[in-house]
Amino acid sequence: MELTINGEKRRVKPSQTLAGLVEELGLDPRKLAVERNRAIVPKSAYRQTPLADGDQLEIVHFVGGG
Amino acid sequence: MELTINGEKRRVKPSQTLAGLVEELGLDPRKLAVERNRAIVPKSAYRQTPLADGDQLEIVHFVGGG
Amino acid sequence: MELTINGEKRRVKPSQTLAGLVEELGLDPRKLAVERNRAIVPKSAYRQTPLADGDQLEIVHFVGGG
Amino acid sequence: MELTINGEKRRVKPSQTLAGLVEELGLDPRKLAVERNRAIVPKSAYRQTPLADGDQLEIVHFVGGG
Amino acid sequence: MGAEKLVVAGRSFSSRLIIGTGKYQSYEENARAAEAAGAEMVTVAVRRVNLTDRDKPMLVDYLDPEKFVYLPNTAGCFTADEAIRTLRLAREAGGWSLVKLEVLADQKTLYPEMEETLRAARLLIKDGFDVMVYCSDDPVYARKLEDAGCAAIMPLGSLIGSGLGIINQVNIRLIVEQSSVPVIVDAGVGTASDAAVAMELGCDGVLMNTAIAEAKDPILMASAMKHAVIAGRQAYLAGRMAKKRYADPSSPLAGLI
Amino acid sequence: MGAEKLVVAGRSFSSRLIIGTGKYQSYEENARAAEAAGAEMVTVAVRRVNLTDRDKPMLVDYLDPEKFVYLPNTAGCFTADEAIRTLRLAREAGGWSLVKLEVLADQKTLYPEMEETLRAARLLIKDGFDVMVYCSDDPVYARKLEDAGCAAIMPLGSLIGSGLGIINQVNIRLIVEQSSVPVIVDAGVGTASDAAVAMELGCDGVLMNTAIAEAKDPILMASAMKHAVIAGRQAYLAGRMAKKRYADPSSPLAGLI
Amino acid sequence: MGAEKLVVAGRSFSSRLIIGTGKYQSYEENARAAEAAGAEMVTVAVRRVNLTDRDKPMLVDYLDPEKFVYLPNTAGCFTADEAIRTLRLAREAGGWSLVKLEVLADQKTLYPEMEETLRAARLLIKDGFDVMVYCSDDPVYARKLEDAGCAAIMPLGSLIGSGLGIINQVNIRLIVEQSSVPVIVDAGVGTASDAAVAMELGCDGVLMNTAIAEAKDPILMASAMKHAVIAGRQAYLAGRMAKKRYADPSSPLAGLI
Amino acid sequence: MGAEKLVVAGRSFSSRLIIGTGKYQSYEENARAAEAAGAEMVTVAVRRVNLTDRDKPMLVDYLDPEKFVYLPNTAGCFTADEAIRTLRLAREAGGWSLVKLEVLADQKTLYPEMEETLRAARLLIKDGFDVMVYCSDDPVYARKLEDAGCAAIMPLGSLIGSGLGIINQVNIRLIVEQSSVPVIVDAGVGTASDAAVAMELGCDGVLMNTAIAEAKDPILMASAMKHAVIAGRQAYLAGRMAKKRYADPSSPLAGLI
């Protein structure tokens, strides 16, 4: 299916959860925050959060800043 | 009748207009602004503005200020 | 004869006075000051001041300055 | 005999050395400098420095200062 | 150079110095100061007529409203509503709509209450007033006030009556750079050089009261301020020399004996 | 107020602004600037006549010595002897004895060489000159120069041509407080407010060159400086208000509606 | 003296110096600077994970969140909504609710947009955040932010990244005098003495980024800032001497030979 | 960074802060302040022994000359001869030749008398003294003192005991740039940031007395000064950021949600 992640369209394995996607992207969930369709998904809920074609995801973390 | 003028109670001749009061007070209407019960009374209307017992009047003018 | 005027060697008509030189140079004496061999020559004395070969002259005037 | 010490006249035992005076005054020679009649007396010379009536002495040390 | 004028809400003024009318020994001294300052605009307050003592001197008898543009202010108002009520009375009393709005936050600092100031400005402008507005030196709020339609932006140089001069010259410069209506420093000027500094930053005018009224000789200080505002304006227009870290001789090096 | 005058070595001047005559585009611009500045005194340098090019414009043809008091300076002199020799020639050329002495230490700072300056001042005064002296802001040396008989003390505000303004206002104030001859700030003024500050400190005058000559519009800056000097002088005489830590309202608190 | 601590939202810190984590050559340099600064709190930005380049160094691998309190900021946000959205993500990513709010007006000045800032602060506080808020030096707005429940007031000394120091010391002083929550100067510090000045005014801390990151030697400057903040704090607590117009000898006059 | 040292006349010091020993409540407080300041050098005065009251506390019993380098000064001397006589006695009393020379002009300003100071410096150096010399901020005289062989140049920041800070930063910078012996600001520091400013200008050290002794808490202020001098020194060595007219963000613009 196709998702929009951080503003870019991206094809990913179909019918998977947010947890699966984070793993597929090789990200460390402890250091992230994820917004799905403008709603924040708590880390605890990644496993129970199915993704649907066309979902809008924002995956952010901390970077250096003043 | 009794009016409140600039915050002070004051007895004045009964049944008279604002024009009459201004004259009674010896004020020059050209240099004033008057509020009757919180509504500004245009100079042009002093003559046609009857006063009633208990009216609240503010009579102001310009003074030195920074 | 040869004089040094304002640091530059210069040949001028022989046996003449400072007055003559100033005239030869086309200068207005009223606006000048002249030093001959390190001694100031008063304007009044230009006529009676003979020049000798090898004399060192400084001829100055006022220019713009801060 | 009478000496002037630090600007004040003072009677002291006659015919003694500077070393004796310093001791009589109960001062610690290591912390002092002494001028006798405008000439500095080295610490080493206190013993051999006789005092004479009328001598002018300055006895100074270090105090707090900016 | 006398040509260029200060234009506020369509009226043009030759003088860029606006003076207050408070704190003087007398209206008579006040009038002489206004004369010496060459002022064409004076701020005035709106207060209750004194009914008990009818013989008190009247401002208008000393400063002719035909000769000086009266700029009614809202000094002493701490809410938008008080300010609006005051200026409506002022308009009725004077018959003109050019006013100076100030909504203050507290007695101790007399600092502008910017939220209320902006709210009041919007309402007054809708009501047809030409609003010259006393404000902080926050360039963002200055822009909002201009966008709201204010006729002049009047940031403080420092606290009212403090005489501490133009403290934040960076902000005043930012406001000048961004504004298309006149910027007039209001409050803070303590002496002539302060007024010159304000003008050198590119301000279009200066408003002051205490600096003149509390000088030992107010009339002479008024004249000093007139010259200072002209000096600062001309220096701004003339374009100052660059600053240098080291010296630079003014006399030619050539032709030394 | 126009009454009070600057008196130097027995001559009195209405203008307290002395300007230099260097660095201008032309003598013609220089003359217009002097006009706009309202200057009555101008500093001039003494240099060799150009014998090769006789048609070069002459200063005197633009700034009439009958109209402006020429103040010959010793810019470019780094020893007392050079300065004395230069001023003797100046006296012969001009016929007057009022001069501006400066003995400089080095090209980079043009800072006054105070030992040589004092030595030169003493010799010149013995020789009958009226010496206005460029000096550091060291109040002790200022006193020595006055004791030596100098006609005016001229401390620098900052380095010549730097435009950094009046840096050490404490020292200038000390010099003003102790001096009975005129104190004229010489060098450092960069814009109008700097000149006003100098005068507000109680100085009797200001001398400048670069601030006017290197402004984008020298004529307009000259006018700015004229006004600034008047403004600063009047502010000094008027006596400024006291500075306050907090605000102080200018409008009456009584009679608020 | 080591005893007294900075307490923000119930957490206490021995260090009063908060540093940013932007503009460094590398996170490694950044970490060494944080070490040298003795910082216990660092501001961090919230940005999209880079999905294409997975090997990019991660901030957390250099500045251990166990060791440094991460203070997520909203740099780059120009509306309350963006700022709130960003901080909610930050809270989810980090798991803590202490944040630094900044809502900016424009790219050129990065001046705080105070209306939006106040609006955002109220919403965030209702949502359970501990809000340290970047703001202008307007004392009235500072009071509103405190009344809204902000955990710390963080007025700018001058524009972000400008290095112009603490321009309006009067306003900072007013804010310090009126505040019962910590006042931390944020933005404007350019060198060590600026940080000392901020603390001498009575501020409870200083936040800086550019002054350290853009120094030629950031590690050494970080140490300089550590000492400057301690120096300024101790000087404030110690109570400085009074300023005097004239001299006052430090050595006794008695006992002179 | 702890490595680099202050070297004066061949002796090297880790601390760049020299403190006076006057004006303290007691020698005991003085000693604790010296401890807190981390000072290695203290100035002391030379005065007559008190013969009448023998039990008066002695400086040496509180500040051990083995631990602190005593720097005898000539405070109170108004001629070269008095200063030389005083320092010869000091050398005999202490046995060392490192001294601080000051020849003052008058009681009101305690400004250095530069002619006498230079004369005294030359005689003392010929007599084998290592002379650290209190002087004005005149860069020309500073050069003469260095050429005469002085071990350290000690220009005033402002008048002794005034606490007005470093007024003429341009001159101090010029002196630093030209000097090859240590430059130590002496007099004028009022609070910690003043000391930091002096060091940021590139000075090698700072000498102070009143700023510490007249603080409400001298011990804490002494510690503040220790940190301020380190801060200023490190900031100078680190190389400060450039000042900018506008803002410059510290957080990345890329990756914003």
Side-chain angles (χ1 to χ4, degrees):
Chain A
M1 59 188 170
E2 187 177 72
L3 311 174
T4 303
I5 309 179
N6 292 351
E8 288 169 14
K9 297 220 172 304
R10 193 178 187 101
R11 299 211 63 79
V12 301
K13 291 206 233 72
S15 63
Q16 59 173 317
T17 64
L18 177 52
L21 174 69
V22 167
E23 195 177 35
E24 175 182 344
L25 294 173
L27 302 173
D28 174 346
R30 289 163 307 147
K31 298 170 173 175
L32 302 176
V34 180
E35 227 186 33
R36 173 166 172 262
N37 303 328
R38 287 298 224 135
I40 289 178
V41 185
K43 288 190 175 58
S44 53
Y46 287 5
R47 244 159 204 46
Q48 309 83 285
T49 304
L51 298 177
D53 188 67
D55 275 355
Q56 304 272 344
L57 298 179
E58 288 289 344
I59 308 179
V60 302
H61 64 161
F62 293 128
V63 304
Chain B
M1 60 188 170
E2 184 176 76
L3 311 175
T4 302
I5 308 179
N6 292 349
E8 288 168 16
K9 298 220 172 302
R10 194 178 187 96
R11 301 211 62 79
V12 301
K13 291 207 232 73
S15 63
Q16 64 172 314
T17 64
L18 177 52
L21 174 69
V22 167
E23 194 176 36
E24 175 181 342
L25 294 173
L27 301 173
D28 175 347
R30 286 164 309 144
K31 297 172 172 175
L32 302 176
V34 180
E35 229 186 31
R36 171 163 175 266
N37 303 330
R38 286 297 224 139
I40 290 178
V41 184
K43 289 187 173 57
S44 53
Y46 287 5
R47 245 160 204 43
Q48 310 84 284
T49 304
L51 297 177
D53 188 69
D55 275 354
Q56 305 273 342
L57 297 180
E58 288 289 344
I59 307 178
V60 304
H61 65 162
F62 293 129
V63 304
Chain C
M1 59 188 171
E2 187 177 73
L3 311 174
T4 303
I5 309 179
N6 291 351
E8 288 169 14
K9 296 218 171 306
R10 192 178 188 99
R11 299 210 64 78
V12 301
K13 290 207 234 71
S15 63
Q16 62 173 316
T17 63
L18 177 52
L21 174 69
V22 167
E23 195 175 36
E24 174 181 344
L25 294 173
L27 301 173
D28 175 346
R30 288 162 309 147
K31 297 171 172 176
L32 302 177
V34 180
E35 226 185 35
R36 173 165 173 262
N37 303 329
R38 287 297 224 138
I40 290 178
V41 184
K43 289 188 174 59
S44 53
Y46 288 5
R47 242 157 208 46
Q48 309 85 283
T49 304
L51 298 177
D53 188 67
D55 274 355
Q56 305 272 343
L57 298 179
E58 289 288 344
I59 308 178
V60 303
H61 64 163
F62 293 129
V63 303
Chain D
M1 59 188 170
E2 185 176 73
L3 310 175
T4 303
I5 308 178
N6 291 348
E8 288 168 15
K9 297 220 172 304
R10 194 179 186 96
R11 299 211 62 79
V12 301
K13 291 207 231 72
S15 63
Q16 60 173 316
T17 63
L18 177 52
L21 175 69
V22 167
E23 195 175 36
E24 175 182 343
L25 294 173
L27 301 174
D28 175 347
R30 288 163 309 146
K31 297 171 172 175
L32 303 177
V34 180
E35 229 185 31
R36 172 165 173 264
N37 303 328
R38 285 301 223 136
I40 290 178
V41 184
K43 288 188 174 57
S44 53
Y46 287 4
R47 249 166 198 40
Q48 309 85 283
T49 305
L51 297 178
D53 188 67
D55 275 353
Q56 305 273 344
L57 298 178
E58 288 288 345
I59 307 178
V60 303
H61 65 162
F62 294 129
V63 302
Chain E
M1 28 197 154
E4 60 120 28
K5 294 201 180 293
L6 166 65
V7 179
V8 181
R11 306 161 182 235
S12 73
F13 302 88
S14 304
S15 165
R16 293 172 177 279
L17 174 56
I18 306 171
I19 72 166
T21 56
K23 295 180 166 179
Y24 287 91
Q25 303 291 342
S26 67
Y27 283 149
E28 193 277 337
E29 180 187 63
N30 194 335
R32 284 170 48 231
E35 207 60 58
E40 295 169 1
M41 231 187 300
V42 297
T43 57
V44 297
V46 177
R47 293 292 184 267
R48 286 168 164 172
V49 168
N50 184 326
L51 298 172
T52 49
D53 168 6
R54 212 65 48 67
D55 312 340
K56 270 184 102 187
M58 303 278 280
L59 180 64
V60 291
D61 298 334
Y62 293 84
L63 285 160
D64 179 358
E66 303 303 311
K67 191 147 153 265
F68 296 94
V69 171
Y70 270 35
L71 194 61
N73 70 22
T74 59
C77 296
F78 292 87
T79 67
D81 295 347
E82 286 165 36
I84 292 164
R85 183 183 176 198
T86 300
L87 290 177
R88 286 185 172 145
L89 283 163
R91 180 167 54 180
E92 174 59 22
W96 47 75
S97 59
L98 182 63
V99 296
K100 178 191 159 195
L101 170 66
E102 53 185 279
V103 183
L104 306 176
D106 58 73
Q107 276 296 353
K108 184 182 174 193
T109 68
L110 300 178
Y111 207 83
E113 212 298 358
M114 294 309 296
E115 270 184 308
E116 286 288 285
T117 298
L118 180 57
R119 195 165 75 76
R122 289 184 172 135
L123 291 166
L124 287 164
I125 289 160
K126 201 185 279 129
D127 194 4
F129 285 91
D130 295 316
V131 179
M132 299 173 69
V133 59
Y134 170 63
C135 55
S136 74
D137 58 17
D138 176 338
V140 181
Y141 254 108
R143 209 178 304 137
K144 292 181 184 195
L145 289 164
E146 178 170 3
D147 294 345
C150 288
I153 306 300
M154 305 177 76
L156 80 177
S158 50
L159 298 183
I160 291 174
S162 69
L164 294 177
I166 315 304
I167 293 179
N168 194 331
Q169 300 187 19
V170 172
N171 277 9
I172 298 294
R173 178 173 54 76
L174 289 172
I175 292 171
V176 166
E177 287 174 1
Q178 79 188 5
S179 302
S180 46
V181 294
V183 176
I184 297 170
V185 162
D186 180 358
V189 165
T191 186
S193 53
D194 295 336
V197 165
M199 297 306 291
E200 286 167 351
L201 289 168
C203 292
D204 300 280
V206 177
L207 189 160
M208 67 185 69
N209 188 332
T210 311
I212 295 176
E214 289 192 358
K216 282 199 193 46
D217 180 341
I219 312 308
L220 187 53
M221 185 59 87
S223 173
M225 291 299 183
K226 177 182 70 184
H227 287 290
V229 168
I230 293 170
R233 179 62 178 180
Q234 293 183 340
Y236 170 71
L237 295 174
R240 67 159 288 157
M241 65 178 283
K243 292 182 180 182
K244 308 191 186 76
R245 277 171 65 91
Y246 297 104
D248 183 13
S250 295
S251 296
L253 301 177
L256 278 160
I257 56 174
Chain F
M1 25 196 158
E4 59 120 28
K5 295 201 182 290
L6 165 65
V7 180
V8 182
R11 306 163 183 233
S12 72
F13 302 88
S14 305
S15 166
R16 294 173 177 278
L17 173 56
I18 306 172
I19 72 166
T21 57
K23 293 181 168 179
Y24 287 91
Q25 303 292 341
S26 66
Y27 283 149
E28 193 278 337
E29 181 187 64
N30 195 333
R32 283 170 48 229
E35 206 60 57
E40 295 170 0
M41 231 187 299
V42 297
T43 57
V44 297
V46 177
R47 294 292 183 266
R48 287 167 164 173
V49 168
N50 183 326
L51 297 172
T52 49
D53 168 5
R54 213 68 46 69
D55 312 339
K56 271 186 101 185
M58 303 277 280
L59 181 62
V60 291
D61 298 334
Y62 293 85
L63 286 161
D64 178 358
E66 304 303 311
K67 195 152 150 256
F68 296 94
V69 171
Y70 271 34
L71 194 60
N73 70 23
T74 58
C77 295
F78 293 86
T79 67
D81 295 347
E82 286 166 37
I84 292 164
R85 183 183 175 198
T86 300
L87 291 177
R88 286 185 173 145
L89 282 163
R91 178 166 57 178
E92 174 59 23
W96 48 75
S97 59
L98 182 63
V99 295
K100 178 191 159 195
L101 170 67
E102 56 186 277
V103 183
L104 307 175
D106 58 73
Q107 276 296 352
K108 184 182 174 192
T109 67
L110 300 178
Y111 206 84
E113 212 299 358
M114 294 309 294
E115 270 184 307
E116 285 288 286
T117 298
L118 180 56
R119 196 165 73 78
R122 288 182 172 135
L123 291 166
L124 287 163
I125 289 160
K126 200 184 282 131
D127 194 5
F129 284 91
D130 295 315
V131 179
M132 300 173 69
V133 58
Y134 170 64
C135 55
S136 75
D137 58 19
D138 176 338
V140 182
Y141 254 108
R143 207 179 305 137
K144 292 181 184 194
L145 289 165
E146 179 170 2
D147 294 344
C150 288
I153 306 300
M154 304 177 76
L156 46 68
S158 50
L159 297 183
I160 291 173
S162 69
L164 294 177
I166 314 304
I167 293 180
N168 194 331
Q169 300 186 19
V170 172
N171 277 10
I172 298 294
R173 177 173 55 78
L174 288 172
I175 293 171
V176 166
E177 288 174 357
Q178 79 188 7
S179 301
S180 46
V181 295
V183 176
I184 297 171
V185 161
D186 180 357
V189 165
T191 185
S193 52
D194 296 335
V197 165
M199 298 305 292
E200 285 167 352
L201 288 169
C203 292
D204 301 279
V206 178
L207 188 159
M208 67 185 69
N209 188 335
T210 310
I212 294 175
E214 288 191 358
K216 282 199 194 48
D217 180 341
I219 313 308
L220 187 53
M221 185 59 87
S223 173
M225 291 299 182
K226 177 183 70 184
H227 288 290
V229 168
I230 294 169
R233 178 63 178 179
Q234 292 183 341
Y236 170 71
L237 295 174
R240 66 158 289 157
M241 66 178 282
K243 292 183 180 182
K244 308 192 187 74
R245 275 170 65 90
Y246 297 105
D248 183 14
S250 294
S251 296
L253 300 178
L256 277 161
I257 56 175
Chain G
M1 24 197 156
E4 60 121 29
K5 295 201 181 293
L6 165 65
V7 179
V8 182
R11 304 163 184 234
S12 73
F13 302 88
S14 304
S15 166
R16 294 173 176 279
L17 173 56
I18 306 171
I19 71 165
T21 57
K23 293 181 168 179
Y24 287 91
Q25 303 291 342
S26 67
Y27 283 149
E28 192 278 335
E29 181 187 65
N30 194 333
R32 284 171 47 229
E35 206 60 57
E40 295 170 1
M41 231 187 299
V42 296
T43 57
V44 297
V46 177
R47 293 291 183 269
R48 286 167 164 173
V49 169
N50 183 327
L51 298 171
T52 50
D53 168 5
R54 214 68 46 68
D55 313 339
K56 272 184 99 187
M58 304 276 281
L59 180 63
V60 290
D61 299 334
Y62 293 84
L63 285 161
D64 179 358
E66 304 303 310
K67 196 153 148 256
F68 296 94
V69 171
Y70 271 33
L71 195 59
N73 70 22
T74 58
C77 296
F78 292 87
T79 67
D81 296 348
E82 285 166 39
I84 292 163
R85 182 182 174 197
T86 299
L87 290 178
R88 286 185 173 146
L89 282 164
R91 178 167 55 179
E92 173 59 23
W96 49 74
S97 58
L98 182 63
V99 296
K100 178 191 158 193
L101 169 67
E102 55 185 277
V103 183
L104 307 176
D106 58 73
Q107 276 297 351
K108 184 183 174 193
T109 67
L110 301 177
Y111 206 85
E113 213 297 358
M114 293 310 294
E115 270 184 306
E116 285 289 285
T117 297
L118 180 56
R119 196 165 74 76
R122 288 182 172 136
L123 291 166
L124 288 164
I125 288 159
K126 199 185 280 130
D127 193 3
F129 285 90
D130 295 315
V131 179
M132 300 173 69
V133 59
Y134 170 65
C135 54
S136 74
D137 59 18
D138 176 338
V140 182
Y141 254 109
R143 208 179 304 135
K144 292 181 183 194
L145 289 165
E146 179 171 2
D147 294 344
C150 287
I153 305 300
M154 304 177 75
L156 79 177
S158 50
L159 297 182
I160 290 174
S162 70
L164 294 178
I166 315 303
I167 294 179
N168 194 330
Q169 301 187 18
V170 172
N171 277 9
I172 299 293
R173 177 173 56 76
L174 289 172
I175 292 171
V176 165
E177 287 174 358
Q178 79 188 5
S179 301
S180 45
V181 294
V183 175
I184 297 170
V185 161
D186 181 357
V189 165
T191 186
S193 53
D194 296 335
V197 165
M199 298 305 292
E200 286 168 351
L201 289 168
C203 292
D204 300 280
V206 178
L207 189 159
M208 68 185 69
N209 188 335
T210 311
I212 295 175
E214 288 192 356
K216 282 199 193 48
D217 180 341
I219 314 307
L220 187 52
M221 186 58 86
S223 173
M225 291 299 182
K226 178 182 70 183
H227 287 290
V229 168
I230 294 170
R233 178 63 178 178
Q234 293 184 340
Y236 169 71
L237 296 174
R240 66 158 290 159
M241 65 178 283
K243 292 182 179 182
K244 309 192 187 73
R245 276 170 65 91
Y246 297 104
D248 183 14
S250 294
S251 296
L253 301 178
L256 277 161
I257 55 174
Chain H
M1 28 196 156
E4 60 119 26
K5 295 200 181 292
L6 166 64
V7 180
V8 182
R11 307 164 181 231
S12 72
F13 302 88
S14 304
S15 165
R16 293 172 177 279
L17 174 55
I18 306 172
I19 71 166
T21 56
K23 295 181 168 178
Y24 286 92
Q25 304 291 344
S26 66
Y27 283 148
E28 193 278 336
E29 181 187 63
N30 194 335
R32 284 170 48 231
E35 206 60 58
E40 295 169 0
M41 232 187 300
V42 296
T43 57
V44 297
V46 177
R47 294 291 184 266
R48 286 167 163 171
V49 169
N50 183 326
L51 298 173
T52 48
D53 168 5
R54 212 66 47 66
D55 312 340
K56 270 186 102 187
M58 304 277 281
L59 180 64
V60 291
D61 299 333
Y62 293 84
L63 286 161
D64 178 359
E66 303 302 311
K67 194 149 152 260
F68 296 93
V69 172
Y70 271 33
L71 194 60
N73 70 22
T74 58
C77 296
F78 292 86
T79 67
D81 296 347
E82 286 166 37
I84 292 164
R85 182 183 176 198
T86 300
L87 290 177
R88 287 188 172 141
L89 282 164
R91 179 165 58 179
E92 173 60 22
W96 48 74
S97 59
L98 182 63
V99 297
K100 179 190 159 196
L101 169 67
E102 53 186 280
V103 183
L104 307 175
D106 58 73
Q107 276 297 352
K108 183 183 175 192
T109 68
L110 300 177
Y111 206 83
E113 212 299 358
M114 293 309 295
E115 271 185 306
E116 284 288 285
T117 297
L118 180 56
R119 195 165 75 76
R122 290 185 171 133
L123 291 166
L124 287 164
I125 289 160
K126 201 185 281 129
D127 194 4
F129 285 91
D130 295 315
V131 179
M132 300 173 69
V133 59
Y134 170 63
C135 54
S136 75
D137 59 18
D138 176 338
V140 181
Y141 254 109
R143 207 178 305 136
K144 292 181 185 195
L145 289 165
E146 178 170 3
D147 294 344
C150 288
I153 306 301
M154 305 178 75
L156 58 112
S158 50
L159 297 182
I160 291 174
S162 69
L164 295 177
I166 316 303
I167 293 178
N168 194 332
Q169 300 186 20
V170 172
N171 278 9
I172 299 293
R173 177 174 54 76
L174 289 173
I175 292 171
V176 166
E177 288 174 0
Q178 82 189 2
S179 301
S180 46
V181 294
V183 175
I184 297 170
V185 161
D186 181 357
V189 165
T191 185
S193 53
D194 295 336
V197 164
M199 298 305 292
E200 286 168 352
L201 288 169
C203 292
D204 299 281
V206 178
L207 189 159
M208 68 184 69
N209 189 336
T210 310
I212 295 176
E214 289 192 356
K216 281 199 193 47
D217 180 342
I219 313 306
L220 187 53
M221 185 58 87
S223 173
M225 291 300 182
K226 178 182 71 184
H227 287 291
V229 168
I230 294 169
R233 178 63 178 179
Q234 292 184 342
Y236 169 71
L237 295 173
R240 67 159 288 157
M241 66 178 283
K243 292 182 179 182
K244 308 190 187 75
R245 276 171 64 92
Y246 297 105
D248 183 14
S250 295
S251 296
L253 301 177
L256 278 160
I257 56 174

